[in-house]
């Protein structure tokens, strides 16, 4: 790019290399996660995350709007995914007991079993691709850096995943 555009803060060589490394990771990591889960469990990564987030709830259920925030996906994308998971008997949607307009996603027993079967391979793959590639200090630095980026792309903290209690 030309550096003569007034007011444009072009990336330095180091900044550009960092951005390109992140950009390549954003493209290749999801594909690698999807390939492993599809091969081993017949799920894509987003389907797995939806079921995993439901599994961490005390009653294995969340209103769709809340689940959408937790999995950082649009409500329409989530609805399509839940529809596919419903067809497989992994998830069901019911009306909220206090407000029938609100739909609640529930992880079914078959979904729980599929998740339990998929988790060991998925965790091992995540460990291989990401966790074991770094020393503990580097991993902490990565987490801290990514949390700073998340604060900018999600300032309301809608996609924050809390540890299960």
């Amino acid at each position: 790019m030309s550096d003569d555009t007034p007011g444009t803060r072009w990336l330095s060589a180091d900044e550009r290399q960092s951005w390109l490394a992140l950009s390549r990771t954003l493209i290749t990591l999801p594909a690698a996660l999807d390939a492993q889960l599809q091969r081993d469990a017949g799920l894509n990564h987003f389907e797995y995350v939806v079921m995993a987030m439901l599994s961490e709830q005390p009653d294995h259920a969340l209103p769709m709007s809340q689940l959408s925030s937790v999995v950082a996906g649009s409500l329409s994308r989530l609805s399509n995914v839940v529809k596919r998971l419903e067809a497989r008997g992994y998830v069901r949607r019911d009306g909220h007991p206090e407000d029938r307009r609100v739909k609640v996603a529930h992880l079914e027993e078959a979904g729980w079993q599929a998740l339990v079967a998929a988790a060991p391979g998925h965790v091992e793959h995540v460990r291989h691709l990401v966790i074991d590639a770094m020393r503990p200090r580097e991993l902490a630095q990565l987490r801290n850096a990514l949390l700073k980026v998340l604060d900018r792309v999600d300032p309301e903290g809608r996609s924050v995943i809390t540890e299960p209690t």
Side-chain angles (χ1 to χ4, degrees):
M1 289 259 111
S2 171
D3 61 1
D4 59 357
T5 307
T8 301
R9 294 176 46 217
W10 296 106
L11 301 179
S12 70
D14 284 344
E15 290 168 337
R16 183 176 179 278
Q17 288 304 311
S18 296
W19 168 247
L20 290 175
L22 175 60
S23 185
R24 287 192 311 269
T25 302
L26 291 172
I27 293 167
T28 58
L29 182 59
L33 295 171
D34 277 346
Q36 178 273 321
L37 281 166
Q38 193 64 49
R39 180 187 67 240
D40 296 349
L43 297 167
N44 66 43
H45 187 244
F46 192 68
E47 292 167 337
Y48 179 90
V49 169
V50 167
M51 294 192 331
M53 294 302 99
L54 287 172
S55 78
E56 292 182 357
Q57 301 307 308
D59 57 355
H60 293 182
L62 276 174
M64 290 287 287
S65 58
Q66 189 176 351
L67 182 57
S68 173
S69 293
V70 169
V71 298
S74 70
L75 199 50
S76 62
R77 180 180 185 199
L78 176 63
S79 184
N80 288 329
V81 166
V82 169
K83 188 181 297 182
R84 286 197 310 268
L85 293 172
E86 280 181 306
R88 296 175 74 177
Y90 291 170
V91 173
R92 78 172 191 280
R93 275 184 282 197
D94 296 320
H96 191 281
E98 296 168 14
D99 186 349
R100 295 310 239 180
R101 296 172 296 176
V102 175
K103 294 294 181 192
V104 178
H106 298 265
L107 184 64
E108 296 281 66
E109 181 62 26
W112 171 258
Q113 294 301 324
L115 190 62
V116 166
H122 177 64
V123 170
E124 189 56 40
H125 197 57
V126 167
R127 179 169 290 290
H128 169 73
L129 294 176
V130 180
I131 306 302
D132 292 345
M134 291 175 248
R135 293 182 196 97
R137 183 171 184 213
E138 292 171 318
L139 197 57
Q141 290 169 333
L142 175 65
R143 179 182 59 249
N144 291 336
L146 292 174
L147 287 172
K148 288 178 183 180
V149 173
L150 273 173
D151 281 345
R152 292 194 175 203
V153 298
D154 182 17
E156 293 85 31
R158 290 172 290 148
S159 64
V160 172
I161 300 169
T162 58
E163 291 299 314
T165 55

